[in-house]
Structures are given as structure tokens and as C-alpha cells.
Amino acid sequence: MGDSSGDRNVADGEVPRHPVSLSTFSIDATTVTNEAFAAFIDATGYRTEAEQFGYSAVFHLAVTAPEDDILGVPPQTPWWRGVRGADWRRPGGEGSSVDELGDHPAVHVSWNDAVAYCEWAGRRLPTEAEWEYAARGGIEGAKYPWGDDEVDAGGWRANIFQGEFPTRNTEEDGWSTTAPVRTFTPNAYGLWQPVGNVWEWCADRFDASYYLSSPASDPTGPAGGDARVLRGGSYLCHISYCNRYRNSARSQNTPDSSMGNAGFRTVAL
């Protein structure tokens, strides 16, 4: 587990590289789709945190809402917009819909929302270690789920950002935001798009120093900490800004955060 290619982001704690053994588990082949998430909402009446808060984070090129619905621009990441009314049903805000996106990943889903879905479905979120094992597809030490070839070698292998981030996306891979969950080629374990497309929530709390003391068998993350782990990168990853579309790459966010490039997949209890 951990970075083997030297592409690590120091602050993310991708090292030291260390052996981990896991009990048998079964993981979804894809991230949870809008269609599946809608079934959960219809069955339970659940309201996501984005719906409760009244806004969520949308990449500036994906905003469909009027200017009056822009609630803020983070100074450190000015390509994001806080958009009133953006949520899993309306990923770009007013004027957008998932009506034709049933096979795309559900986004604007917080960690807490993902856990609520899992409880309804009789599933759970993967641990970070389970996620990385599954993403690797049995290729030990590889940079990507398919090996070490780059994403665009011999045709696109994942949904990331092309062009000049964050102003111009040439969409060479065919997608400007999310792609259907069964796009490109699955890895050797049958997982579709563990890297790229959308970030995926994991069960663990985040600590950049956790690998220094994590147990060798079935690690479940640190006991404390406010943030939760995200894995896999997204359609906004670009080598000039975010190279986290790799097996070992890690990120984090608070459990009530939602954004247009994050979803989740689940594991059997």
C-alpha cells in the first residue's frame, strides 16, 4: 500500500509504502449511480446535506445556474463556485438535471449521505485499504489500475481533465464532467473507473501520518480526526494541478462536504 512511482503528494501521506493483508470482501463494480441513489431517496424520503444546506460546490465550467445563484468563490480554488440549489438532482444548479444521467455516478453526496445510503442498502463504505487493493486489480506496485502506462497511452483510459486547467477542457476523452459508470475498460478485478470520473468516499478518517503506525491487517484508519478519506481522483484531475488519479493517491474532506466531482461505491457487510 502506498506510492511506488514517486508521484506522491507529500502532504497526503502516501508513504511509507507498506504491506497490508485484508480479509475477503466484495466491492461494487461501479460507483453508485443516479438511478440507484434515486431509488434510495424514493424509498426513504432522505434529504441530502446539499439539499438541507441549500447549496453545493460546482466547477465553474459546469455551472448552469444564473449569476444570482453564485454564493461564493473560494479564494484558494477560484475554479469552484458555491451554487444555490446545486445538489444530486441538479448537479450544475438551476437548469440542470439527472433525468438523462441515470447511469452516471451520483454526485453532490457527502460522506454522511453515503453512509445513509449504505445503511439503507445493507452495505458499507470500503476502508481505504480495501479501496486501494480493489483499485490495483492485482497488479502489485502499479501506478494505475491498468499498469504504468499513462492515461492517454493508446487511447484514453480514464475520465480526467484535458487542455489548460481550469479554463479550457478539450474533452479529448469524450467527457466534460461525469461519464457513465461503465465507461472505458474495467481493471482485472472488474472495477470500472476506480480512478478518474469522481472521487470516492472511504470509511476511514484521514491522517497524513497514519501509514507510519497503521496495522498490517485490516486497517480501518485513525481513531480520531474530522476529515474523511477520498480516493481515485476525478474528471477535474490534470497533471498540472491534481495528479491524484492514481492507485495510491489520497485526499480528504469534511464529512458534510459535497461537490460535483465526488461519489462513492459500497462493500458488502
Side-chain angles (χ1 to χ4, degrees):
M1 193 170 180
D3 174 53
S4 60
S5 64
D7 294 280
R8 70 201 64 161
N9 294 290
V10 175
D12 294 344
E14 293 184 54
V15 292
R17 199 164 169 237
H18 57 290
V20 173
S21 62
L22 295 170
S23 300
T24 300
F25 66 98
S26 173
I27 190 168
D28 290 340
T30 74
T31 50
V32 171
T33 63
N34 285 313
E35 182 179 20
F37 199 74
F40 157 61
I41 298 295
D42 291 345
T44 63
Y46 182 84
R47 294 183 70 230
T48 62
E49 292 192 298
E51 291 171 292
Q52 294 177 52
F53 298 155
Y55 70 96
S56 191
V58 181
F59 183 60
H60 73 112
L61 295 180
V63 174
T64 59
E67 191 68 27
D68 288 349
D69 283 348
I70 307 300
L71 303 179
V73 180
Q76 293 182 320
T77 52
W79 44 88
W80 286 105
R81 303 289 185 270
V83 178
R84 181 187 293 114
D87 55 43
W88 77 272
R89 298 180 193 271
R90 301 186 297 177
E94 183 181 333
S96 64
S97 169
V98 296
D99 288 349
E100 304 300 323
L101 304 177
D103 60 349
H104 285 236
V107 294
H108 296 292
V109 175
S110 71
W111 185 90
N112 293 322
D113 297 333
V115 169
Y117 174 95
C118 288
E119 290 174 350
W120 169 77
R123 309 279 289 180
R124 63 175 174 84
L125 290 176
T127 67
E128 185 177 16
E130 288 171 337
W131 187 96
E132 184 170 327
Y133 181 89
R136 289 187 177 279
I139 309 175
E140 184 176 347
K143 185 175 179 180
Y144 302 115
W146 55 84
D148 290 321
D149 290 341
E150 287 303 321
V151 180
D152 59 348
W156 289 96
R157 301 168 185 259
N159 179 15
I160 61 172
F161 196 98
Q162 296 91 49
E164 293 80 46
F165 185 88
T167 58
R168 186 178 71 94
N169 188 350
T170 58
E171 303 177 32
E172 294 167 43
D173 61 10
W175 308 97
S176 60
T177 58
T178 60
V181 295
R182 294 182 185 270
T183 304
F184 306 106
T185 302
N187 73 6
Y189 287 160
L191 271 70
W192 297 78
Q193 299 193 83
V195 302
N197 212 22
V198 294
W199 284 103
E200 301 182 21
W201 289 110
C202 292
D204 311 40
R205 291 180 169 87
F206 178 85
D207 182 343
S209 63
Y210 180 64
Y211 286 1
L212 294 170
S213 59
S214 61
S217 298
D218 293 319
T220 57
D226 295 330
R228 296 286 177 166
V229 171
L230 287 156
R231 284 299 204 114
S234 80
Y235 62 81
L236 293 182
C237 280
H238 186 272
I239 194 63
S240 69
Y241 159 65
C242 167
N243 72 338
R244 292 181 177 89
Y245 48 97
R246 295 175 290 104
N247 291 327
S248 67
R250 313 171 73 206
S251 193
Q252 58 168 310
N253 213 329
T254 55
D256 61 352
S257 294
S258 65
M259 46 278 186
N261 66 335
F264 66 105
R265 71 180 76 211
T266 74
V267 168
L269 291 175

